[in-house]
Amino acid sequence: MNPTQWFTEKVPEAESAFSLKFKQKLHEEQSDYQFIEIYETEGFGNLMVIDGCTMLSTRDNFFYHEMMSHPVLYTHADPKRIWIIGGGDCGTLKEVLKHPSVEQAVQIDIDERVTRLSEIYFPELCESNHDPRAALKFIDGIKWVKEAKPNSVDIIIVDSTDPVGPAEGLFSEAFYRDCYNCLSENGMVVQQSESPLYHMKLISEMRKAMSAASFGHLQTLFFPQCLYPSGWWSTTIAGKVDLTHFREQDSANKSFDTAYYNVDIHKASLAQPEFFKKAFASK
Amino acid sequence: MNPTQWFTEKVPEAESAFSLKFKQKLHEEQSDYQFIEIYETEGFGNLMVIDGCTMLSTRDNFFYHEMMSHPVLYTHADPKRIWIIGGGDCGTLKEVLKHPSVEQAVQIDIDERVTRLSEIYFPELCESNHDPRAALKFIDGIKWVKEAKPNSVDIIIVDSTDPVGPAEGLFSEAFYRDCYNCLSENGMVVQQSESPLYHMKLISEMRKAMSAASFGHLQTLFFPQCLYPSGWWSTTIAGKVDLTHFREQDSANKSFDTAYYNVDIHKASLAQPEFFKKAFASK
């Protein structure tokens, strides 16, 4: 392959790599926090890359954004106040605001440049940025959560990069404890938990840290995500209350469009592969 | 990347590529039918490549082999006679023979070299090759099915390469009609149907061809498969009888080990993504 035509992300933990052919590099910049690149690819629309890792593409971001939003919102009995920590591309915000119960959705990403570039290169994800229920803050999400008052929020969605660089603190017991403290009594936090094929150690550590932070109920969900290492991804929900049931009827009657999510997919995402079940059998 | 250290499969239909770093190339040969390579990779164990396309790796073949076998076998009321068309690596055969109801499993792959190389480089997949219920034939599967008598077999598993080269005829209405004619009255055929993200056209054509060949019931199943294009794969079952229910209790009480499949995963694999549901809504 001619490397001048291909963007390649290497995945050291699997000694694998995923590449997309591009027509042109549309933009690159070093923000205050990270190195951001935007490519126009041949097959995946536009592609955002942060510090060398693929973040999202026009073609396949719907899996991730829908699965970060709809399962946890339909698991909560009455989600009104939502915070998105990270999520600067605004795709999660857009999905969250599809829920009529939501009264306030605050996106807190430390790097304003991610949002400004998303407005240019992924305008379809930013369609709801001016919804009167939406607020965009460009500050440190860890500090925001630490300083928040009890009962400030119903659901915290941690839509972050991998646990290196600015996002590292988002994968810690201290952060989950701060989440616990500002969530309402039946509150939930959901976080992307990487690949079940490559990152079982991370999933295990995340679950332990969430439990140690007093969350009594955990649920890991599985879904395809072509662009991310292994093509298979997960999110983990930590709840103060039982997560066994979700608002199935509401999900079945959802009033908005999706590309991947529906009530059957919600149930399916909860199915634990045999190796996963065995790994957590005694935990 | 130094191309001498990496095996790369390009996926023209998505302008993407997947690469695995390898320690060494263990073998290559031009058989009578195809070009076969075996690599020792850094992160995926051994890798078999046919005509430039990844076929299987030690690390992640379990998804594919389990999902080609267990769902269809648990959907059939009493599967005794199984044919595997293709499947020369013997991984599907091994999974099929885990079912106590199976009395006879015949693997029919045109290329004996695939099996001989699998015996050397994927010995764990060949563990059941000497099961008294197993038969390995190295002949043309299309001809075998065409010449078979009515009511010869309960399930036909088409475990083939992509629909180019020697496998092309396995994706045709004529082939499915021959399957129909030799299957027992509640018989089923299952075939790998590629990526739901990249190959909706192929899935659609396959389903049309299966219907045209008199199969009244179709079911497409979804599962992760890291090594294959997009990391997300599907199989499609065509049945003479209703496929809505499977032997859930038998699956829940299965007497054998798996790495991915279990009764919850079976149900989950049947969930249709929203875009898939819409595509086939009126068909």
Side-chain angles (χ1 to χ4, degrees):
Chain A
M1 300 193 300
N2 175 353
T4 62
Q5 285 185 289
W6 290 81
F7 166 78
T8 292
E9 177 180 1
K10 287 192 193 179
V11 182
E13 59 271 39
E15 299 284 13
S16 66
F18 180 73
S19 307
L20 290 176
K21 196 173 184 183
F22 62 82
K23 292 178 187 165
Q24 56 176 324
K25 184 183 271 202
L26 297 168
H27 184 80
E28 67 170 49
E29 71 176 73
Q30 176 66 48
S31 77
D32 289 345
Y33 304 97
Q34 45 210 355
F35 186 65
I36 311 172
E37 297 163 276
I38 311 277
Y39 296 88
E40 182 188 1
T41 72
E42 292 280 355
F44 272 72
N46 287 347
L47 171 72
M48 182 186 285
V49 176
I50 292 185
D51 289 340
C53 294
T54 55
M55 287 295 115
L56 75 154
S57 81
T58 309
R59 181 171 182 178
D60 82 336
N61 78 81
F62 66 89
F63 292 102
Y64 177 84
H65 287 134
E66 293 182 10
M67 295 307 286
M68 285 294 284
S69 308
H70 305 309
V72 71
L73 266 85
Y74 280 124
T75 302
H76 194 285
D78 187 25
K80 290 189 165 69
R81 300 166 298 172
I82 319 291
W83 293 349
I84 299 155
I85 309 296
D89 58 56
C90 307
T92 298
L93 180 66
K94 181 185 168 188
E95 295 303 317
V96 163
L97 288 166
K98 289 179 177 175
H99 288 253
S101 71
V102 170
E103 296 175 354
Q104 185 200 57
V106 187
Q107 175 188 299
I108 303 123
D109 194 307
I110 200 166
D111 195 346
E112 181 170 356
R113 292 304 302 153
V114 174
T115 299
R116 298 302 164 226
L117 292 171
S118 190
E119 287 168 341
I120 299 168
Y121 299 109
F122 301 91
E124 71 282 6
L125 301 183
C126 298
E127 280 169 6
S128 301
N129 289 7
H130 298 290
D131 186 298
R133 300 170 294 161
L136 277 65
K137 296 184 184 294
F138 303 106
I139 53 175
D140 180 356
I142 296 171
K143 192 156 170 274
W144 169 272
V145 169
K146 195 181 181 64
E147 293 173 356
K149 294 201 175 70
N151 190 23
S152 302
V153 59
D154 300 319
I155 293 173
I156 299 175
I157 300 176
V158 190
D159 178 2
S160 73
T161 52
D162 297 342
V164 288
E168 198 175 349
L170 297 171
F171 289 77
S172 71
E173 183 186 330
F175 173 70
Y176 300 134
R177 194 174 299 279
D178 291 337
C179 289
Y180 192 95
N181 290 336
C182 66
L183 280 165
S184 50
E185 61 178 350
N186 50 358
M188 293 165 196
V189 56
V190 62
Q191 183 162 18
Q192 69 94 355
S193 45
E194 312 242 346
S195 165
L197 190 65
Y198 292 169
H199 305 118
M200 280 294 280
K201 187 163 169 284
L202 177 138
I203 296 175
S204 174
E205 286 169 0
M206 179 186 286
R207 290 171 62 106
K208 269 186 209 153
M210 286 169 160
S211 295
S214 301
F215 286 100
H217 307 270
L218 300 179
Q219 195 173 64
T220 297
L221 295 81
F222 306 85
F223 55 95
Q225 185 59 59
C226 175
L227 212 62
Y228 289 172
S230 87
W232 190 33
W233 216 242
S234 68
T235 63
T236 297
I237 303 177
K240 293 187 176 186
V241 293
D242 184 39
L243 303 170
T244 314
H245 300 287
F246 69 100
R247 292 183 289 119
E248 210 172 307
Q249 204 55 46
D250 290 349
S251 169
N253 297 328
K254 71 183 169 61
S255 57
F256 51 83
D257 261 356
T258 48
Y260 181 65
Y261 179 89
N262 58 40
V263 64
D264 296 330
I265 288 293
H266 189 147
K267 284 186 263 185
S269 73
L270 301 173
Q272 298 185 349
E274 192 73 356
F275 74 82
F276 188 92
K277 208 175 249 185
K278 283 175 187 161
F280 291 106
S282 57
K283 286 166 199 172
Chain B
M1 302 192 299
N2 175 354
T4 61
Q5 285 185 290
W6 289 83
F7 165 78
T8 292
E9 177 180 0
K10 286 193 194 179
V11 182
E13 59 271 38
E15 298 285 10
S16 66
F18 180 73
S19 308
L20 290 175
K21 196 172 183 183
F22 62 82
K23 292 178 187 164
Q24 56 176 324
K25 185 182 267 201
L26 297 168
H27 184 80
E28 67 170 51
E29 70 177 72
Q30 176 66 49
S31 77
D32 288 345
Y33 304 96
Q34 45 209 356
F35 186 65
I36 311 171
E37 297 163 276
I38 312 277
Y39 295 88
E40 183 188 2
T41 73
E42 293 280 355
F44 272 72
N46 287 347
L47 171 72
M48 182 185 285
V49 176
I50 292 185
D51 289 340
C53 296
T54 55
M55 287 294 115
L56 75 154
S57 81
T58 308
R59 182 172 181 178
D60 82 337
N61 77 81
F62 65 89
F63 293 101
Y64 178 84
H65 287 135
E66 292 181 10
M67 295 306 286
M68 285 294 284
S69 308
H70 304 310
V72 70
L73 266 84
Y74 280 125
T75 302
H76 194 285
D78 187 23
K80 290 190 165 73
R81 300 165 299 171
I82 319 291
W83 293 349
I84 300 155
I85 309 296
D89 58 56
C90 307
T92 299
L93 180 66
K94 181 186 167 188
E95 295 303 317
V96 163
L97 288 165
K98 289 179 177 176
H99 289 253
S101 70
V102 170
E103 295 174 355
Q104 185 200 57
V106 187
Q107 175 188 300
I108 303 124
D109 194 307
I110 201 166
D111 195 347
E112 181 170 356
R113 293 303 302 153
V114 174
T115 299
R116 298 303 163 226
L117 292 171
S118 191
E119 288 168 341
I120 299 169
Y121 299 108
F122 300 91
E124 71 282 7
L125 301 183
C126 298
E127 280 169 4
S128 301
N129 289 6
H130 297 290
D131 186 299
R133 299 170 294 162
L136 278 65
K137 297 186 185 292
F138 304 105
I139 53 175
D140 180 356
I142 297 171
K143 193 157 170 274
W144 170 271
V145 169
K146 197 181 178 64
E147 293 173 355
K149 294 202 175 70
N151 189 23
S152 302
V153 58
D154 300 318
I155 293 173
I156 300 175
I157 300 176
V158 189
D159 178 1
S160 73
T161 52
D162 296 342
V164 287
E168 198 176 348
L170 297 171
F171 289 76
S172 71
E173 183 187 329
F175 173 70
Y176 300 135
R177 195 174 296 280
D178 292 337
C179 289
Y180 192 94
N181 290 336
C182 66
L183 280 164
S184 50
E185 61 177 350
N186 51 357
M188 294 164 195
V189 57
V190 61
Q191 182 162 18
Q192 68 94 356
S193 45
E194 312 243 346
S195 165
L197 190 65
Y198 292 169
H199 305 118
M200 281 294 281
K201 188 163 169 280
L202 177 138
I203 296 175
S204 173
E205 287 169 359
M206 180 187 283
R207 290 171 62 106
K208 269 185 209 153
M210 285 168 159
S211 295
S214 301
F215 286 100
H217 307 270
L218 301 179
Q219 196 173 62
T220 297
L221 295 81
F222 306 86
F223 55 96
Q225 184 61 58
C226 175
L227 212 62
Y228 289 172
S230 87
W232 189 33
W233 217 243
S234 69
T235 63
T236 297
I237 303 177
K240 294 186 174 186
V241 293
D242 183 39
L243 303 171
T244 315
H245 300 287
F246 70 99
R247 291 182 290 119
E248 211 172 308
Q249 204 55 47
D250 290 349
S251 169
N253 297 326
K254 71 183 169 60
S255 57
F256 51 84
D257 262 355
T258 48
Y260 181 65
Y261 179 88
N262 58 41
V263 64
D264 297 331
I265 288 292
H266 188 146
K267 283 186 264 187
S269 72
L270 300 174
Q272 298 184 349
E274 193 71 356
F275 74 82
F276 188 92
K277 207 175 250 187
K278 283 176 186 159
F280 291 107
S282 57
K283 286 163 197 171

